[in-house]
């Protein structure tokens, strides 16, 4: 009987932990703040600038100064982000966004990964982490 109670408690705890980890996605927003974006290329991390999030609005990425304009974004219940405006070099020169996936797990720093498709068909991934 004690073993069964232990199993039930463990299952409930796992469910509660999963619910808390996914709770960040349920409101459709990333935590407000500045997210520093980097890509690992040729054995080193290269800065791609900062994206600023406030509510359902983003600006950037920028390396110096401030972004000239802000745009809306949407995030679904699975943490997939859709940018509703341009995203600097990610969406210029023939580049496009293939996927952006948020990571909002309890006890970790909020971040998102941007997968960019280049004009030649190659893909590049970068990670943006909240400062």
């Amino acid at each position: 009987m004690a073993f069964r109670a232990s199993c039930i408690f463990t299952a409930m705890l796992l469910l509660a932990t999963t619910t808390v980890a996914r709770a960040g996605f349920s409101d459709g927003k990333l935590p407000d703040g500045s997210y520093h974006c980097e890509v690992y290329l040729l054995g080193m991390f290269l800065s791609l600038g900062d994206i600023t999030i406030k509510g359902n609005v983003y600006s950037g990425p920028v390396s110096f100064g401030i972004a000239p304009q802000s745009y809306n974004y949407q995030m679904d219940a699975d943490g997939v982000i859709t940018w509703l405006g341009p995203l600097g070099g990610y969406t210029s020169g023939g580049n496009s966004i293939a996927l952006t996936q948020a990571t909002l797990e309890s006890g970790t720093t909020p971040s998102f990964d941007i997968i960019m498709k280049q004009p030649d068909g190659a893909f590049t991934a970068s990670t943006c982490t909240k400062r």
Side-chain angles (χ1 to χ4, degrees):
M1 183 70 163
F3 176 73
R4 183 175 179 190
S6 175
C7 288
I8 292 172
F9 176 74
T10 302
M12 290 176 60
L13 184 60
L14 182 60
L15 181 61
T17 304
T18 303
T19 303
V20 170
R22 306 222 15 111
F25 295 138
S26 66
D27 67 358
K29 293 186 273 185
L30 292 162
D32 288 354
S34 178
Y35 291 75
H36 181 68
C37 301
E38 293 182 322
V39 63
Y40 187 75
L41 190 63
L42 302 173
M44 58 196 306
F45 287 98
L46 301 174
S47 175
L48 299 176
D50 293 345
I51 296 175
T52 302
I53 302 290
K54 186 169 184 179
N56 283 18
V57 175
Y58 75 93
S59 59
V62 293
S63 295
F64 304 102
I66 59 170
Q69 189 170 353
S70 297
Y71 302 93
N72 291 323
Y73 75 92
Q74 296 173 338
M75 185 169 67
D76 70 15
D78 294 320
V80 176
I81 298 170
T82 302
W83 306 103
L84 302 176
L87 198 61
Y90 292 104
T91 57
S92 64
N95 297 326
S96 61
I97 302 295
L99 173 75
T100 303
Q101 177 66 54
T103 302
L104 301 174
E105 296 175 3
S106 181
T108 65
T109 302
S111 66
F112 52 89
D113 295 315
I114 300 174
I115 310 298
M116 176 183 69
K117 184 175 182 183
Q118 299 169 341
D120 64 0
F123 291 88
T124 302
S126 70
T127 298
C128 303
T129 306
K130 189 172 187 287
R131 289 184 181 243

